[in-house]
Amino acid sequence: MPVMPILTMNDGRAIPALGFGTYLVPDVDASRITREAIGIGYTLVDTAAYYGNERGVAEGLDGRDDIFVTTKLWRDDMGYDPALRAFDASLARLGRDHVDLYLIHWPMPALGTYVDTWRALVRLREEGRAKSVGVSNFSPGHLRVLLDATGIAPAVNQIELHPGFQQRELRAFHAAHGIVTQSWGPLGQGSLLGEPAILRIAEARGCTPAQAILAWHLHHGLAVIPKASARDRLADNLAAIKVTLAAEDIAAIDALDDPAGRLGPDPDQF
């Protein structure tokens, strides 16, 4: 197996470029699936309080501290003190004294609390209990507010990103501030697997459509966390790190971008 690509965050720490996403993995199954993912070579596991599977993920980690673990703060716990309490609860469920990355799951702008929440995460980083801190689903406007208020940029922004919705403006903002872009929903919820351009590329490169799309993410320097619950799908996704796309392949996938192609919630409205 080729070496996992590594990205450097703006705090100087490294993050694996391709990880295992556990969204919709039930807690009862999370232990087995996490153990399988690690067994075939994954080095990053992404969970969240909202997913309800932090305990199962912890069991699957088997006490290993060499796996990069991300979890997230849910919207019900926004605010400085609530965020600190929620983090303690996540640590307890994970059975750890720290996580590698802690994210604000959604900005929830209507609440007006994401800046105070961010200040809590910065404190957790300073204490060493969250080695790196970041956000998820933040727009350029939300990020500017954080920077203006605190002067501290998130290490990561985990966002919906796939060939049908490429978020170029947001990615440019990230690049200007050293923020790693991490793609959720990287396959467009499966809607892109039958796209003719993707199928042609997969046939030409001897890979699956999913591998072609994940290789496109990696080519662009994006971190990516496809979710899977079957061992063969886990292995299929991980093998994307072996796929090399040609310049014409990249151009063809780039051309699939649709600024109106969002499939999930709008962070300004959610």
Side-chain angles (χ1 to χ4, degrees), residues 105-176:
H105 208 149
W106 289 89
M108 304 301 296
L111 296 180
T113 54
Y114 65 82
V115 172
D116 283 342
T117 306
W118 178 239
R119 288 192 173 105
L121 267 65
V122 171
R123 172 180 165 179
L124 292 169
R125 187 190 67 180
E126 290 171 347
E127 293 174 349
R129 298 199 295 149
K131 300 298 184 181
S132 296
V133 292
V135 296
S136 182
N137 301 299
F138 275 52
S139 71
H142 304 140
L143 293 170
R144 288 189 189 97
V145 170
L146 291 187
L147 284 165
D148 289 345
T150 69
I152 300 172
V156 170
N157 188 11
Q158 186 183 111
I159 58 173
E160 178 183 348
L161 200 156
H162 47 78
F165 187 59
Q166 297 180 21
Q167 300 249 49
R168 296 183 186 187
E169 177 189 358
L170 183 49
R171 285 160 56 193
F173 187 97
H174 291 169

Side-chain angles (χ1 to χ4, degrees), residues 195-206 209 249 252:
E195 169 65 40
I198 301 294
L199 292 173
R200 287 195 298 271
I201 292 166
E203 182 177 6
R205 303 303 158 210
D249 302 333

